[in-house]
mmCIF file of all heavy atoms in Angstrom:
data_model
loop_
_atom_site.group_PDB
_atom_site.id
_atom_site.type_symbol
_atom_site.label_atom_id
_atom_site.label_comp_id
_atom_site.label_asym_id
_atom_site.label_seq_id
_atom_site.Cartn_x
_atom_site.Cartn_y
_atom_site.Cartn_z
ATOM 1 N N GLN A 892 -6.054 9.136 22.525
ATOM 2 C CA GLN A 892 -7.238 9.604 21.824
ATOM 3 C C GLN A 892 -6.820 10.611 20.754
ATOM 4 O O GLN A 892 -6.142 11.591 21.045
ATOM 5 C CB GLN A 892 -8.209 10.261 22.798
ATOM 6 C CG GLN A 892 -8.582 9.395 23.986
ATOM 7 C CD GLN A 892 -9.372 8.162 23.598
ATOM 8 O OE1 GLN A 892 -10.256 8.235 22.755
ATOM 9 N NE2 GLN A 892 -9.066 7.041 24.212
ATOM 10 N N LEU A 893 -7.192 10.359 19.509
ATOM 11 C CA LEU A 893 -6.833 11.241 18.402
ATOM 12 C C LEU A 893 -8.035 12.063 17.971
ATOM 13 O O LEU A 893 -9.100 11.517 17.685
ATOM 14 C CB LEU A 893 -6.326 10.425 17.210
ATOM 15 C CG LEU A 893 -5.018 9.660 17.402
ATOM 16 C CD1 LEU A 893 -4.650 8.931 16.120
ATOM 17 C CD2 LEU A 893 -3.895 10.599 17.800
ATOM 18 N N ARG A 894 -7.858 13.363 17.932
ATOM 19 C CA ARG A 894 -8.908 14.265 17.499
ATOM 20 C C ARG A 894 -8.600 14.761 16.085
ATOM 21 O O ARG A 894 -7.443 14.931 15.708
ATOM 22 C CB ARG A 894 -9.003 15.473 18.445
ATOM 23 C CG ARG A 894 -9.282 15.083 19.899
ATOM 24 C CD ARG A 894 -10.689 14.522 20.060
ATOM 25 N NE ARG A 894 -10.896 13.992 21.396
ATOM 26 C CZ ARG A 894 -10.915 12.703 21.683
ATOM 27 N NH1 ARG A 894 -10.717 11.818 20.723
ATOM 28 N NH2 ARG A 894 -11.127 12.281 22.913
ATOM 29 N N ARG A 927 -6.929 5.768 19.362
ATOM 30 C CA ARG A 927 -8.360 5.668 19.063
ATOM 31 C C ARG A 927 -8.816 6.972 18.421
ATOM 32 O O ARG A 927 -9.080 7.964 19.102
ATOM 33 C CB ARG A 927 -9.143 5.404 20.354
ATOM 34 C CG ARG A 927 -10.596 5.012 20.137
ATOM 35 C CD ARG A 927 -11.241 4.611 21.457
ATOM 36 N NE ARG A 927 -12.505 3.941 21.233
ATOM 37 C CZ ARG A 927 -13.243 3.377 22.184
ATOM 38 N NH1 ARG A 927 -12.822 3.406 23.441
ATOM 39 N NH2 ARG A 927 -14.382 2.781 21.899
ATOM 40 N N PRO A 928 -8.910 7.021 17.104
ATOM 41 C CA PRO A 928 -9.296 8.264 16.430
ATOM 42 C C PRO A 928 -10.796 8.507 16.505
ATOM 43 O O PRO A 928 -11.586 7.566 16.632
ATOM 44 C CB PRO A 928 -8.853 8.016 14.984
ATOM 45 C CG PRO A 928 -8.967 6.528 14.820
ATOM 46 C CD PRO A 928 -8.604 5.930 16.150
ATOM 47 N N ASP A 929 -11.172 9.771 16.416
ATOM 48 C CA ASP A 929 -12.597 10.100 16.345
ATOM 49 C C ASP A 929 -13.008 10.390 14.900
ATOM 50 O O ASP A 929 -14.040 10.997 14.659
ATOM 51 C CB ASP A 929 -12.936 11.282 17.263
ATOM 52 C CG ASP A 929 -12.330 12.606 16.809
ATOM 53 O OD1 ASP A 929 -11.539 12.603 15.829
ATOM 54 O OD2 ASP A 929 -12.628 13.641 17.433
ATOM 55 N N PHE A 930 -12.203 9.929 13.952
ATOM 56 C CA PHE A 930 -12.451 10.130 12.530
ATOM 57 C C PHE A 930 -12.105 8.848 11.780
ATOM 58 O O PHE A 930 -11.519 7.926 12.341
ATOM 59 C CB PHE A 930 -11.614 11.298 11.996
ATOM 60 C CG PHE A 930 -10.144 11.196 12.355
ATOM 61 C CD1 PHE A 930 -9.241 10.563 11.513
ATOM 62 C CD2 PHE A 930 -9.668 11.738 13.544
ATOM 63 C CE1 PHE A 930 -7.901 10.456 11.846
ATOM 64 C CE2 PHE A 930 -8.321 11.649 13.888
ATOM 65 C CZ PHE A 930 -7.436 11.002 13.036
ATOM 66 N N HIS A 931 -12.472 8.789 10.520
ATOM 67 C CA HIS A 931 -12.151 7.641 9.679
ATOM 68 C C HIS A 931 -10.742 7.781 9.107
ATOM 69 O O HIS A 931 -10.292 8.887 8.785
ATOM 70 C CB HIS A 931 -13.124 7.546 8.503
ATOM 71 C CG HIS A 931 -14.528 7.211 8.874
ATOM 72 N ND1 HIS A 931 -15.008 5.924 8.891
ATOM 73 C CD2 HIS A 931 -15.576 8.010 9.239
ATOM 74 C CE1 HIS A 931 -16.290 5.929 9.238
ATOM 75 N NE2 HIS A 931 -16.652 7.180 9.458
ATOM 76 N N ARG A 961 -12.394 2.821 11.548
ATOM 77 C CA ARG A 961 -13.579 3.620 11.845
ATOM 78 C C ARG A 961 -13.404 4.388 13.151
ATOM 79 O O ARG A 961 -12.594 4.013 13.991
ATOM 80 C CB ARG A 961 -14.811 2.726 11.977
ATOM 81 C CG ARG A 961 -15.488 2.342 10.681
ATOM 82 C CD ARG A 961 -14.800 1.229 9.990
ATOM 83 N NE ARG A 961 -15.701 0.535 9.059
ATOM 84 C CZ ARG A 961 -15.355 -0.543 8.402
ATOM 85 N NH1 ARG A 961 -14.156 -1.073 8.555
ATOM 86 N NH2 ARG A 961 -16.214 -1.114 7.573
ATOM 87 N N PRO A 962 -14.175 5.469 13.338
ATOM 88 C CA PRO A 962 -14.105 6.201 14.603
ATOM 89 C C PRO A 962 -14.364 5.278 15.794
ATOM 90 O O PRO A 962 -15.293 4.469 15.771
ATOM 91 C CB PRO A 962 -15.220 7.247 14.470
ATOM 92 C CG PRO A 962 -15.368 7.453 12.997
ATOM 93 C CD PRO A 962 -15.121 6.107 12.383
ATOM 94 N N GLY A 963 -13.530 5.392 16.803
ATOM 95 C CA GLY A 963 -13.692 4.576 17.998
ATOM 96 C C GLY A 963 -12.886 3.298 17.999
ATOM 97 O O GLY A 963 -12.715 2.673 19.047
ATOM 98 N N MET A 964 -12.397 2.862 16.850
ATOM 99 C CA MET A 964 -11.558 1.672 16.808
ATOM 100 C C MET A 964 -10.248 1.919 17.549
ATOM 101 O O MET A 964 -9.679 3.001 17.476
ATOM 102 C CB MET A 964 -11.228 1.278 15.363
ATOM 103 C CG MET A 964 -12.247 0.411 14.681
ATOM 104 S SD MET A 964 -11.577 -0.186 13.079
ATOM 105 C CE MET A 964 -12.920 -1.255 12.562
ATOM 106 N N VAL A 965 -9.772 0.902 18.255
ATOM 107 C CA VAL A 965 -8.445 0.964 18.854
ATOM 108 C C VAL A 965 -7.498 0.235 17.908
ATOM 109 O O VAL A 965 -7.697 -0.949 17.609
ATOM 110 C CB VAL A 965 -8.425 0.311 20.242
ATOM 111 C CG1 VAL A 965 -7.005 0.301 20.811
ATOM 112 C CG2 VAL A 965 -9.367 1.045 21.192
ATOM 113 N N PRO A 983 -16.793 11.642 10.435
ATOM 114 C CA PRO A 983 -17.919 10.702 10.342
ATOM 115 C C PRO A 983 -19.079 11.208 9.505
ATOM 116 O O PRO A 983 -19.714 10.441 8.793
ATOM 117 C CB PRO A 983 -18.323 10.513 11.808
ATOM 118 C CG PRO A 983 -17.084 10.783 12.580
ATOM 119 C CD PRO A 983 -16.368 11.870 11.832
ATOM 120 N N ALA A 1073 -26.658 2.805 14.442
ATOM 121 C CA ALA A 1073 -26.445 4.086 15.123
ATOM 122 C C ALA A 1073 -27.013 4.053 16.536
ATOM 123 O O ALA A 1073 -26.399 4.575 17.482
ATOM 124 C CB ALA A 1073 -27.078 5.215 14.319
ATOM 125 N N VAL A 1075 -27.452 1.369 18.412
ATOM 126 C CA VAL A 1075 -26.597 0.492 19.219
ATOM 127 C C VAL A 1075 -25.360 1.250 19.688
ATOM 128 O O VAL A 1075 -24.972 1.174 20.861
ATOM 129 C CB VAL A 1075 -26.195 -0.761 18.422
ATOM 130 C CG1 VAL A 1075 -25.065 -1.517 19.124
ATOM 131 C CG2 VAL A 1075 -27.402 -1.682 18.242
ATOM 132 N N GLU A 1076 -24.750 1.994 18.788
ATOM 133 C CA GLU A 1076 -23.545 2.735 19.153
ATOM 134 C C GLU A 1076 -23.834 3.760 20.246
ATOM 135 O O GLU A 1076 -22.987 4.029 21.096
ATOM 136 C CB GLU A 1076 -22.972 3.429 17.910
ATOM 137 C CG GLU A 1076 -21.535 3.894 18.071
ATOM 138 C CD GLU A 1076 -20.585 2.747 18.350
ATOM 139 O OE1 GLU A 1076 -20.793 1.632 17.821
ATOM 140 O OE2 GLU A 1076 -19.624 2.961 19.116
ATOM 141 N N GLU A 1077 -25.023 4.301 20.235
ATOM 142 C CA GLU A 1077 -25.378 5.322 21.222
ATOM 143 C C GLU A 1077 -25.827 4.740 22.554
ATOM 144 O O GLU A 1077 -25.558 5.325 23.616
ATOM 145 C CB GLU A 1077 -26.491 6.210 20.663
ATOM 146 C CG GLU A 1077 -26.907 7.342 21.592
ATOM 147 C CD GLU A 1077 -27.970 8.240 20.990
ATOM 148 O OE1 GLU A 1077 -28.384 7.986 19.828
ATOM 149 O OE2 GLU A 1077 -28.388 9.191 21.668
ATOM 150 N N HIS A 1078 -26.454 3.575 22.527
ATOM 151 C CA HIS A 1078 -27.117 3.084 23.735
ATOM 152 C C HIS A 1078 -26.634 1.728 24.238
ATOM 153 O O HIS A 1078 -27.214 1.214 25.201
ATOM 154 C CB HIS A 1078 -28.634 2.984 23.484
ATOM 155 C CG HIS A 1078 -29.295 4.283 23.169
ATOM 156 N ND1 HIS A 1078 -29.455 5.299 24.091
ATOM 157 C CD2 HIS A 1078 -29.839 4.752 22.002
ATOM 158 C CE1 HIS A 1078 -30.070 6.321 23.535
ATOM 159 N NE2 HIS A 1078 -30.320 6.023 22.263
ATOM 160 N N PHE A 1079 -25.581 1.140 23.659
ATOM 161 C CA PHE A 1079 -25.260 -0.241 24.036
ATOM 162 C C PHE A 1079 -24.817 -0.381 25.490
ATOM 163 O O PHE A 1079 -24.852 -1.481 26.048
ATOM 164 C CB PHE A 1079 -24.196 -0.841 23.100
ATOM 165 C CG PHE A 1079 -22.802 -0.308 23.309
ATOM 166 C CD1 PHE A 1079 -21.936 -0.894 24.222
ATOM 167 C CD2 PHE A 1079 -22.350 0.775 22.571
ATOM 168 C CE1 PHE A 1079 -20.657 -0.406 24.413
ATOM 169 C CE2 PHE A 1079 -21.073 1.271 22.745
ATOM 170 C CZ PHE A 1079 -20.222 0.686 23.668
ATOM 171 N N THR A 1080 -24.396 0.707 26.124
ATOM 172 C CA THR A 1080 -24.028 0.609 27.537
ATOM 173 C C THR A 1080 -25.249 0.626 28.445
ATOM 174 O O THR A 1080 -25.118 0.410 29.654
ATOM 175 C CB THR A 1080 -23.080 1.748 27.949
ATOM 176 O OG1 THR A 1080 -23.722 3.003 27.706
ATOM 177 C CG2 THR A 1080 -21.777 1.688 27.153
ATOM 178 N N ARG A 1118 -20.984 -6.076 19.904
ATOM 179 C CA ARG A 1118 -20.574 -4.692 20.183
ATOM 180 C C ARG A 1118 -20.254 -4.511 21.662
ATOM 181 O O ARG A 1118 -19.272 -3.854 22.029
ATOM 182 C CB ARG A 1118 -21.681 -3.723 19.754
ATOM 183 C CG ARG A 1118 -21.309 -2.253 19.984
ATOM 184 C CD ARG A 1118 -20.096 -1.879 19.149
ATOM 185 N NE ARG A 1118 -19.612 -0.532 19.452
ATOM 186 C CZ ARG A 1118 -18.669 -0.259 20.359
ATOM 187 N NH1 ARG A 1118 -18.151 -1.237 21.092
ATOM 188 N NH2 ARG A 1118 -18.258 0.978 20.544
ATOM 189 N N GLU A 1122 -16.385 -3.733 23.384
ATOM 190 C CA GLU A 1122 -16.058 -2.663 24.333
ATOM 191 C C GLU A 1122 -15.551 -3.235 25.649
ATOM 192 O O GLU A 1122 -14.665 -2.650 26.293
ATOM 193 C CB GLU A 1122 -17.273 -1.778 24.565
ATOM 194 C CG GLU A 1122 -16.937 -0.416 25.137
ATOM 195 C CD GLU A 1122 -16.080 0.402 24.186
ATOM 196 O OE1 GLU A 1122 -16.140 0.173 22.955
ATOM 197 O OE2 GLU A 1122 -15.339 1.279 24.684
ATOM 198 N N ARG A 1125 -11.967 -3.947 25.096
ATOM 199 C CA ARG A 1125 -11.191 -2.700 25.084
ATOM 200 C C ARG A 1125 -10.917 -2.226 26.501
ATOM 201 O O ARG A 1125 -9.805 -1.795 26.831
ATOM 202 C CB ARG A 1125 -11.948 -1.624 24.306
ATOM 203 C CG ARG A 1125 -11.973 -1.825 22.795
ATOM 204 C CD ARG A 1125 -12.934 -0.839 22.150
ATOM 205 N NE ARG A 1125 -12.884 -0.885 20.692
ATOM 206 C CZ ARG A 1125 -13.756 -0.268 19.898
ATOM 207 N NH1 ARG A 1125 -14.749 0.445 20.433
ATOM 208 N NH2 ARG A 1125 -13.652 -0.340 18.594
ATOM 209 N N ARG A 1140 -19.413 0.077 33.821
ATOM 210 C CA ARG A 1140 -19.255 0.959 32.660
ATOM 211 C C ARG A 1140 -20.142 0.505 31.510
ATOM 212 O O ARG A 1140 -20.609 1.321 30.711
ATOM 213 C CB ARG A 1140 -17.784 0.955 32.239
ATOM 214 C CG ARG A 1140 -17.429 1.827 31.063
ATOM 215 C CD ARG A 1140 -17.219 3.269 31.473
ATOM 216 N NE ARG A 1140 -16.024 3.477 32.264
ATOM 217 C CZ ARG A 1140 -14.820 3.761 31.782
ATOM 218 N NH1 ARG A 1140 -14.634 3.861 30.491
ATOM 219 N NH2 ARG A 1140 -13.810 3.973 32.592
ATOM 220 N N ALA A 1211 -16.558 7.960 34.757
ATOM 221 C CA ALA A 1211 -15.989 7.429 33.521
ATOM 222 C C ALA A 1211 -16.999 6.713 32.676
ATOM 223 O O ALA A 1211 -16.810 6.530 31.485
ATOM 224 C CB ALA A 1211 -14.842 6.475 33.845
ATOM 225 N N ARG A 1212 -18.115 6.239 33.278
ATOM 226 C CA ARG A 1212 -19.048 5.434 32.517
ATOM 227 C C ARG A 1212 -19.628 6.220 31.363
ATOM 228 O O ARG A 1212 -20.219 7.265 31.542
ATOM 229 C CB ARG A 1212 -20.179 4.956 33.415
ATOM 230 C CG ARG A 1212 -21.272 4.307 32.587
ATOM 231 C CD ARG A 1212 -22.007 3.257 33.336
ATOM 232 N NE ARG A 1212 -22.968 2.706 32.429
ATOM 233 C CZ ARG A 1212 -24.201 2.401 32.775
ATOM 234 N NH1 ARG A 1212 -24.607 2.563 34.003
ATOM 235 N NH2 ARG A 1212 -25.028 1.893 31.889
ATOM 236 N N SER A 1213 -19.464 5.691 30.163
ATOM 237 C CA SER A 1213 -19.929 6.399 28.975
ATOM 238 C C SER A 1213 -19.823 5.502 27.783
ATOM 239 O O SER A 1213 -19.235 4.436 27.838
ATOM 240 C CB SER A 1213 -19.075 7.648 28.736
ATOM 241 O OG SER A 1213 -17.749 7.271 28.460
ATOM 242 N N THR A 1214 -20.387 5.944 26.664
ATOM 243 C CA THR A 1214 -20.163 5.285 25.400
ATOM 244 C C THR A 1214 -18.781 5.654 24.911
ATOM 245 O O THR A 1214 -18.189 6.632 25.378
ATOM 246 C CB THR A 1214 -21.206 5.729 24.365
ATOM 247 O OG1 THR A 1214 -21.083 7.128 24.196
ATOM 248 C CG2 THR A 1214 -22.607 5.380 24.814
ATOM 249 N N PRO A 1215 -18.213 4.889 23.928
ATOM 250 C CA PRO A 1215 -16.856 5.159 23.494
ATOM 251 C C PRO A 1215 -16.674 6.534 22.880
ATOM 252 O O PRO A 1215 -15.569 7.038 22.808
ATOM 253 C CB PRO A 1215 -16.586 4.046 22.458
ATOM 254 C CG PRO A 1215 -17.923 3.520 22.090
ATOM 255 C CD PRO A 1215 -18.791 3.736 23.291
ATOM 256 N N GLN A 1216 -17.726 7.184 22.432
ATOM 257 C CA GLN A 1216 -17.593 8.483 21.802
ATOM 258 C C GLN A 1216 -18.021 9.612 22.746
ATOM 259 O O GLN A 1216 -18.241 10.732 22.335
ATOM 260 C CB GLN A 1216 -18.478 8.535 20.547
ATOM 261 C CG GLN A 1216 -18.248 7.375 19.609
ATOM 262 C CD GLN A 1216 -16.984 7.559 18.810
ATOM 263 O OE1 GLN A 1216 -16.745 8.642 18.340
ATOM 264 N NE2 GLN A 1216 -16.184 6.540 18.659
ATOM 265 N N SER A 1217 -18.148 9.314 24.050
ATOM 266 C CA SER A 1217 -18.731 10.274 24.969
ATOM 267 C C SER A 1217 -17.751 11.308 25.461
ATOM 268 O O SER A 1217 -16.569 11.273 25.184
ATOM 269 C CB SER A 1217 -19.306 9.523 26.173
ATOM 270 O OG SER A 1217 -18.232 9.006 26.923
ATOM 271 N N ALA A 1218 -18.272 12.217 26.290
ATOM 272 C CA ALA A 1218 -17.429 13.281 26.818
ATOM 273 C C ALA A 1218 -16.347 12.719 27.716
ATOM 274 O O ALA A 1218 -15.236 13.242 27.754
ATOM 275 C CB ALA A 1218 -18.297 14.276 27.598
ATOM 276 N N ALA A 1219 -16.640 11.657 28.471
ATOM 277 C CA ALA A 1219 -15.612 11.075 29.327
ATOM 278 C C ALA A 1219 -14.449 10.560 28.503
ATOM 279 O O ALA A 1219 -13.287 10.716 28.874
ATOM 280 C CB ALA A 1219 -16.203 9.933 30.156
ATOM 281 N N ASP A 1220 -14.770 9.918 27.383
ATOM 282 C CA ASP A 1220 -13.715 9.449 26.502
ATOM 283 C C ASP A 1220 -12.932 10.628 25.931
ATOM 284 O O ASP A 1220 -11.725 10.590 25.784
ATOM 285 C CB ASP A 1220 -14.324 8.642 25.355
ATOM 286 C CG ASP A 1220 -13.713 7.260 25.252
ATOM 287 O OD1 ASP A 1220 -12.848 6.916 26.069
ATOM 288 O OD2 ASP A 1220 -14.134 6.544 24.344
ATOM 289 N N SER A 1221 -13.662 11.688 25.586
ATOM 290 C CA SER A 1221 -13.020 12.837 24.977
ATOM 291 C C SER A 1221 -12.083 13.532 25.941
ATOM 292 O O SER A 1221 -11.160 14.235 25.536
ATOM 293 C CB SER A 1221 -14.080 13.842 24.498
ATOM 294 O OG SER A 1221 -14.922 13.251 23.547
ATOM 295 N N ALA A 1222 -12.299 13.339 27.242
ATOM 296 C CA ALA A 1222 -11.444 13.986 28.223
ATOM 297 C C ALA A 1222 -10.119 13.269 28.393
ATOM 298 O O ALA A 1222 -9.242 13.752 29.081
ATOM 299 C CB ALA A 1222 -12.164 14.039 29.575
#
Side-chain angles (χ1 to χ4, degrees):
Q892 306 294 318
L893 294 181
R894 301 291 173 256
R927 191 173 194 174
D929 68 354
F930 51 91
H931 292 267
R961 277 80 158 185
M964 274 189 176
V965 176
V1075 167
E1076 196 61 35
E1077 182 178 0
H1078 298 291
F1079 73 88
T1080 59
R1118 181 62 187 92
E1122 199 63 26
R1125 287 171 173 170
R1140 181 83 70 90
R1212 171 151 182 221
S1213 64
T1214 60
Q1216 308 283 317
S1217 70
D1220 235 1
S1221 300

